[in-house]
Amino acid sequence: DRDRRGGGRGPAGRGRRSGLGPAAAAVFHPLPLATRWRMDLCHHVDGLTMVRGTRKAIRFGLHIVTWNVGTAGPPDDATTLLQLETQTRETDMYIIGLQEVNAKVPSFLADMVFNDPWTIFFTNFLAPLGYIKVSSIRMQGLLLLVYVKYLHLPYVRDLRTSYTRTGVYGYWGNKGGVAARLSVYGHLLCFLNCHLPAHLNNSGQRITSFQHILAALQFTSDKAPAILDHDLLFWFGDLNFRIADHGLRFIRESIGRNRFHLLWDKDQLNKAKTMEPVLSGFLEGQLLFKPTYKFNLDSIDYDTSEKKRKPAWTDRILWRISEHSQGGGSESQGCNAKKPLTVNLNIYDSQMEYGVSDHKPVLGTFSLELEKRFLEPLVELQPEGEWMPGYDGIISYCTAHDYPGSTWDWIGLYKVGFRSDRDYVTYVWVKDDELTVHEDVYQVYLNGEDVPEGGGDFFLCYYSSNMEGIVGVSRSFQVPPLTAGTGV
């Protein structure tokens, strides 16, 4: 039997092999297990689907943030930026795109070993609310983070990341794009965070850079390897488009009177959307907020330095739905034919209260109406009986018939509020001491020594080595703390 503890494909260095321990005989009931499992399994599935109902069509909430942070550290609070007091129940996924994260050599090297301060900052706010970091990618100052509500983890698949440099003729990563893609209930979503060339006169160079990013950035996957292959693309970042022709005085007066519409026709990105084929199909909400660049630090006043740069909507969020996701049925279906995926923009706004950078952050909240392309997770699992420190914990699970299992699959024990798939307390390899207890239902045992003595609320999560992610999540359950007289 090979030792997988030190291998690179599993969660090396933590936990131990679990075996059938002294508590197993006390709680193991072989005869009624199948009935009990099926009843509990149905209850578990209902618990998951109750979040959005049992209908095949669901509403999926996105919250996107883009912010050029100007090499600064995080602010003290993210409550307003993430709208934590108003919409956490409606938000299923958070996507954070940052530009100009501190990439000086000492800081960058430290961030390669440990999480960077911005990742820690957002995770500290989102993890206690049940959001798990499922993807992240960094290219020098560009950082992209994706958080998903834990209930959706079994339905989020095909995660990939990639990047493309465009700075210094493509050799430097201070400009360019980083992207993350994933399948949500069978729909391929892509998030592209860009930092494009600066300055008023470089509008054409910005378009050229974006064209290069779309052509060069590829995912290592047979499914939608190119950016525009996805069902839905969100493009955001410091796109650096400026307001042309108008002078500084007119722009500032228009902003001061909230007459933003007077500036729209001279916004370079608005003009490019009507002229450049590469931007065909991209949509954006109306610019009903103040331009987000350039501000004095820790202020809501625009640039008062000698340069006195003209304000501009440099920070933007756009989206594009592929033609096949917009329906495209025959005329006989009529205009009421249901589309498999629709996007509704709820909020498109800036956050003026944040002053650590000369840019203000921009957020967009969206509701996706989508048809589920699969209804059940690939793996169902649950704890059996009551778990106690010092006693082996029994885990029952079953897999879908088309699940691509591996000897490197494992089940992790996670505290409620865990941060990522690596934030487990302990784990067990599913093929170690696995028992078939009824048809396609299996059991494994977690060594009693690994059950946390401090107790708490936990989940069991099934990690797929082939799919490189969590494909099954149990209901939450409680382990009582070890007290005097309860040890073994």
Side-chain angles (χ1 to χ4, degrees):
D1 189 13
R2 57 185 173 179
D3 183 6
R4 287 170 283 178
R5 293 297 173 215
R9 300 178 64 188
R14 297 177 70 175
R16 59 175 64 85
R17 288 186 186 273
S18 295
L20 185 61
V27 295
F28 183 46
H29 306 285
L31 291 178
L33 174 63
T35 302
R36 189 172 75 256
W37 164 256
R38 293 301 177 190
M39 290 177 62
D40 289 346
L41 187 61
C42 291
H43 175 73
H44 173 57
V45 172
D46 289 343
L48 285 177
T49 56
M50 277 175 59
V51 177
R52 291 289 181 265
T54 57
R55 297 176 303 168
K56 188 175 181 182
I58 64 167
R59 178 175 295 172
F60 194 86
L62 299 181
H63 185 114
I64 299 176
V65 172
T66 178
W67 192 4
N68 183 323
V69 297
T71 74
D76 295 330
D77 188 67
T79 301
T80 304
L81 184 61
L82 302 177
Q83 298 196 332
L84 299 181
E85 294 179 345
T86 59
Q87 68 164 40
T88 52
R89 291 185 180 180
E90 288 76 36
T91 303
D92 298 290
M93 183 183 294
Y94 280 94
I95 303 95
I96 314 293
L98 305 181
Q99 308 85 41
E100 292 193 21
V101 174
N102 191 344
K104 293 180 180 179
V105 173
S107 175
F108 189 70
L109 292 177
D111 293 348
M112 291 178 65
V113 179
F114 309 101
N115 277 331
D116 65 275
W118 282 97
T119 299
I120 295 172
F121 171 71
F122 285 112
T123 303
N124 284 344
F125 278 92
L126 292 173
L129 299 175
Y131 295 94
I132 316 304
K133 181 168 69 70
V134 296
S135 186
S136 65
I137 180 171
R138 181 171 178 184
M139 180 184 72
Q140 287 182 223
L142 277 165
L143 176 65
L144 179 61
L145 304 169
V146 180
Y147 297 85
V148 176
K149 215 164 196 175
Y150 77 92
L151 290 175
H152 301 294
L153 288 176
Y155 308 97
V156 174
R157 305 173 187 175
D158 299 316
L159 282 83
R160 298 288 187 276
T161 58
S162 188
Y163 65 90
T164 294
R165 305 182 183 96
T166 60
V168 191
Y169 304 102
Y171 292 100
W172 193 243
N174 64 319
K175 297 291 191 293
V178 294
R181 85 86 177 281
L182 61 163
S183 166
V184 177
Y185 291 94
H187 299 268
L188 284 171
L189 277 55
C190 182
F191 302 98
L192 175 61
N193 174 25
C194 289
H195 194 185
L196 300 183
H199 305 306
L200 177 65
N201 296 327
N202 286 335
S203 181
Q205 188 179 346
R206 287 186 273 276
I207 295 298
T208 300
S209 292
F210 183 54
Q211 287 175 316
H212 174 74
I213 291 169
L214 291 182
L217 198 153
Q218 299 281 314
F219 297 102
T220 56
S221 173
D222 294 332
K223 293 182 179 179
I227 293 290
L228 296 182
D229 292 340
H230 293 78
D231 298 321
L232 175 60
L233 165 65
F234 284 94
W235 173 41
F236 49 89
D238 180 1
L239 307 186
N240 254 322
F241 289 97
R242 309 303 171 96
I243 299 172
D245 300 334
H246 292 312
L248 175 63
R249 181 176 178 179
F250 179 81
I251 292 175
R252 288 197 172 184
E253 286 182 352
S254 299
I255 295 169
R257 297 175 181 177
N258 290 329
R259 302 181 71 182
F260 306 127
H261 64 281
L262 298 179
L263 308 176
W264 291 346
D265 63 338
K266 299 301 182 181
D267 175 80
Q268 292 176 335
L269 182 54
N270 282 345
K271 294 173 67 175
K273 283 188 288 185
T274 65
M275 300 170 59
E276 299 291 344
V278 70
L279 298 180
S280 176
F282 279 93
L283 302 173
E284 183 183 17
Q286 285 189 324
L287 299 170
L288 297 176
F289 52 88
K290 291 182 178 181
T292 53
Y293 174 84
K294 175 178 181 174
F295 287 86
N296 297 329
L297 296 182
D298 298 313
S299 172
I300 58 172
D301 296 325
Y302 285 104
D303 184 19
T304 57
S305 69
E306 292 183 3
K307 294 183 178 180
K308 286 187 172 61
R309 296 192 185 276
K310 293 194 295 184
W313 285 291
T314 55
D315 311 280
R316 312 286 276 270
I317 302 173
L318 298 89
W319 70 95
R320 179 183 183 274
I321 305 177
S322 66
E323 291 184 2
H324 68 267
S325 292
Q326 298 186 53
S330 64
E331 293 184 8
S332 61
Q333 289 179 295
C335 61
N336 293 323
K338 195 171 186 65
K339 298 178 181 179
L341 174 63
T342 60
V343 178
N344 299 302
L345 174 63
N346 300 322
I347 297 173
Y348 190 32
D349 202 1
S350 60
Q351 296 290 307
M352 290 293 154
E353 67 184 74
Y354 293 94
V356 300
S357 166
D358 56 0
H359 289 251
K360 300 299 183 182
V362 171
L363 65 87
T365 66
F366 301 83
S367 294
L368 307 186
E369 302 282 349
L370 53 86
E371 292 281 338
K372 291 183 183 179
R373 289 178 173 164
F374 45 81
L375 300 176
E376 297 180 358
L378 291 172
V379 176
E380 300 275 3
L381 73 163
Q382 66 179 26
E384 289 291 343
E386 295 184 5
W387 283 35
M388 297 180 63
Y391 292 86
D392 284 3
I394 303 176
I395 304 167
S396 295
Y397 73 94
C398 67
T399 63
H401 295 298
D402 57 347
Y403 170 65
S406 165
T407 57
W408 296 96
D409 289 356
W410 48 275
I411 294 173
L413 178 68
Y414 294 82
K415 291 209 73 170
V416 170
F418 68 98
R419 296 164 174 257
S420 71
D421 58 26
R422 298 293 157 170
D423 192 23
Y424 47 79
V425 177
T426 186
Y427 68 94
V428 57
W429 299 101
V430 297
K431 297 301 180 183
D432 288 1
D433 303 315
E434 177 187 74
L435 295 176
T436 302
V437 294
H438 183 271
E439 297 179 355
D440 58 347
V441 179
Y442 304 92
Q443 284 189 339
V444 291
Y445 300 86
L446 188 69
N447 194 301
E449 296 179 10
D450 292 329
V451 178
E453 293 185 356
D457 295 317
F458 296 90
F459 294 108
L460 293 167
C461 296
Y462 190 108
Y463 185 92
S464 169
S465 176
N466 286 332
M467 301 184 70
E468 299 180 344
I470 291 173
V471 295
V473 180
S474 77
R475 69 178 190 274
S476 64
F477 64 101
Q478 198 168 57
V479 175
L482 181 66
T483 57
T486 62
V488 295

